[in-house]
Amino acid sequence: MAWLAQNLAPLMFLGLIFFLLYGFPVAFALGACGLFFGLIGIELGLLAPVFFQALPLRIFGIMQNETLLAVPFFTLMGLVLERSGMAEDLLDTIGQLFGSVRGGLAFAVIFVGALLAATTGVVAASVISMGLISLPIMLRYGYDRKLASGVIAASGTLAQIIPPSLVLIVLADQLGKSVGDLYKGAFIPAFALVGLYVLYVIGLTILRPKDLPALPPEARTIREDDGSSGTRSVAVLAVIAIAVGIVAGQHYNEILAWMTGGEPKEQPIDETVVAATTLATLVAFVIALINRVFRLGLLSRMAERVTFVLIPPLALIFLVLGTIFLGVATPTEGGAMGAVGAMLLAWARKRLDWSLLVQALKGTTTLSSFVMFILIGSTMFNLTFQGVGGSHWVQHLLTQLPGGQVGFLIFASLFVFVLAFFLDYFELAFIVIPLLGPAANALGIDLIWFGVLIAMVMQTSFMHPPFGFALFFLRSVAPAGEYVDAVTGKKIRGVSTVEIYWGAIPFLVLQLVMVGLLIAFPSLVTMSFSKVGKVDLEKIEIPAGDQGWGSEGSAPGGEGGTGSDW
């Protein structure tokens, strides 16, 4: 009995692994494991029966947690946009824009994947939409099957790390940190990953040009009367907008002081970038609108099409992320505005009807219920695990790893990477973060940086052969056997499951490279929410109640309780 009492925490962890491997639903596995070992702890005298009176309060704390309201809002926004036809227009327009370039369709998929990630935030929606629209076109014009599959799956998983990612909301809640800070911290790493994808495709166009052909002239449907593509007009409009944005960014402090009537003060990088980007986008839209209304003929058909297709989702991104970064709205309020904005976009496209709303609301309810049940189950597990001394056991185990902070970060990344073979990202957030978070804090690791790093590792869960969810989504829509192409009438060989797996591996490696860069260069995260030369992150004083795991026994998330409370 003495041995059982001393080792109840590790046995509890092993019991959870057994339940999960057995195939028991995660939420109920967590709850059952917590209650079962809680009763054993009471019998062994480790816990008092009154200990479980805290459980109802914790469950009510979850229900009262306003941060988690952002989950259904962002989910509803994504599902409405998925059904509004925005993805189809974006892929068609950007595909035409890059059609004359080798690998143009691959570049279009990456760009649209990033844009969909910043609007829908739903991996399944992005992968399925791009798989249905882009994959047949890429196969039609001779793209390598492995590359086409890999770039679609990888671009779809960007919804995992690019704000407003749902997993970042959950991680912020579990770490007891601000969702807005985690969004800001993930901004640069997310788009750096997009840059790695683009560089990889550029490298392939040089090394294996036959695998990434340009679109043939007959496939480029947006043309001028003289037969030209009109891309020069797009470039000129982009240069004008970028120049306006750069000038506005350089003088943003003075402009803001003039508007408010105060003295110029240095503003955060993220606020400056958001304001400058918004102004640049607005300038491009106004020029295109004036050209269309007054029929000036200054812009090509391609320039007008690109502008009017890109501006609505960019406006929605500003409505959501811009207001959060500027401090105008909380993530929950931003999610609510995003949901309303998505409905307005669907209405403007004449796609908003009762059927769409019912489907979107059903999907939102399903996913939100899934998250809440897992959170309640993890609360029951964590309550017992902390009560039997599990936190001290895990913290002692992890803080004694060789290599200090770097050793711990490498171990944590590998640990999450391996578990991602078997667990969903929500499950990882609710099970693993309460174990790793206190140890990270004890080692002096910034929890925002740690949260972004773990989110990047969790993204690999979608790309793991053979269990990656993005690969499953793509398999569900990719043609498995030979089929007749609707445009050319030729027979085209389908895509095998093995080709999808091999196509995912290079992008999985790129994600791991990004994880290594985050460990080596923390400033990729920290510079996103600090003022240049003004703020020393080590000297920031955090008010009481928002200290995460700053002191032993304190509860992440502060007063009110969340699923990760002690």
Side-chain angles (χ1 to χ4, degrees), residues 259-284:
M259 293 176 63
T260 58
E263 293 294 326
K265 295 180 180 179
E266 192 170 4
Q267 302 300 321
I269 294 176
D270 58 278
E271 182 176 332
T272 304
V273 171
V274 167
T277 305
T278 302
L279 182 59
T281 305
L282 184 62
V283 167

Side-chain angles (χ1 to χ4, degrees), residues 28 38 84 94 177 205 237-238 302 316 318 322 366-367 401 476 562:
F28 301 117
S84 69
I94 305 303
K177 292 297 179 180
T205 60
L237 184 61
M302 178 71 78
L316 186 63
F318 171 75
T366 301
L367 181 62
L401 291 170
S476 67
T562 69

Side-chain angles (χ1 to χ4, degrees), residues 286-459:
V286 169
I287 292 174
L289 189 62
I290 292 174
N291 182 74
R292 172 172 289 188
V293 171
F294 294 101
R295 299 180 179 179
L296 300 178
L298 298 176
L299 298 177
S300 64
R301 293 189 181 96
M302 178 71 78
E304 281 197 3
R305 174 78 176 270
V306 169
T307 303
F308 289 120
V309 168
L310 284 182
I311 294 302
L314 289 175
L316 186 63
I317 292 172
F318 171 75
L319 183 66
V320 177
L321 297 181
T323 53
I324 294 173
F325 285 6
L326 294 176
V328 177
T330 66
T332 301
E333 293 165 346
M337 290 191 296
V340 174
M343 291 182 188
L344 290 176
L345 284 181
W347 174 77
R349 299 172 60 85
K350 299 180 180 179
R351 297 288 185 93
L352 185 64
D353 54 23
W354 184 248
S355 174
L356 184 149
L357 278 178
V358 169
Q359 292 177 11
L361 289 172
K362 281 184 177 179
T364 301
T365 303
T366 301
L367 181 62
S368 301
S369 301
F370 169 75
V371 173
M372 289 299 107
F373 270 101
I374 291 183
L375 188 49
I376 290 172
S378 70
T379 297
M380 298 169 70
F381 178 85
N382 286 333
L383 180 65
T384 301
F385 193 71
Q386 306 295 342
V388 299
S391 61
H392 299 290
W393 170 66
V394 172
Q395 185 168 330
H396 176 75
L397 188 67
L398 297 179
T399 54
Q400 299 303 312
L401 291 170
Q405 289 186 352
V406 175
F408 168 77
L409 290 172
I410 293 174
F411 169 81
S413 300
L414 290 175
F415 183 57
V416 174
F417 179 78
V418 172
L419 287 181
F421 275 98
F422 314 103
L423 299 178
D424 182 60
Y425 59 100
F426 279 130
E427 298 159 0
L428 286 170
F430 291 131
I431 296 172
V432 176
I433 297 305
L435 302 178
L436 299 178
N441 190 75
L443 288 169
I445 296 172
D446 184 272
L447 292 182
I448 300 295
W449 173 36
F450 182 70
V452 174
L453 176 68
I454 294 300
M456 190 68 72
V457 179
M458 284 183 181
Q459 186 184 356

Side-chain angles (χ1 to χ4, degrees), residues 234-251:
V234 178
V236 171
L237 184 61
V239 168
I240 294 173
I242 292 172
V244 171
I246 291 174
V247 172
Q250 291 175 339
H251 299 281

Side-chain angles (χ1 to χ4, degrees), residues 90-212:
L90 283 171
L91 284 166
D92 179 55
T93 302
I94 305 303
Q96 290 289 324
L97 178 63
F98 292 111
S100 59
V101 181
R102 282 197 180 278
L105 288 176
F107 293 127
V109 167
I110 294 172
F111 182 80
V112 173
L115 202 56
L116 289 177
T119 49
T120 65
V122 181
V123 173
S126 298
V127 174
I128 291 173
S129 297
M130 292 190 295
L132 287 171
I133 301 165
S134 296
L135 186 58
I137 301 175
M138 298 173 89
L139 296 180
R140 178 185 306 151
Y141 296 113
Y143 270 70
D144 179 73
R145 284 165 172 73
K146 294 189 288 292
L147 170 64
S149 302
V151 75
I152 290 174
S155 300
T157 62
L158 291 172
Q160 174 85 354
I161 189 65
I162 293 179
S165 164
L166 296 181
V167 73
L168 292 176
I169 299 173
V170 176
L171 284 174
D173 175 69
Q174 294 294 292
L175 291 170
K177 292 297 179 180
S178 163
V179 177
D181 281 347
L182 213 58
Y183 277 0
K184 294 175 184 179
F187 192 79
I188 293 177
F191 286 97
L193 182 62
V194 175
L196 288 180
Y197 289 172
V198 171
L199 289 175
Y200 174 68
V201 173
I202 291 175
L204 288 180
T205 60
I206 298 172
L207 299 175
R208 293 158 45 191
K210 292 183 179 180
D211 291 342
L212 301 92

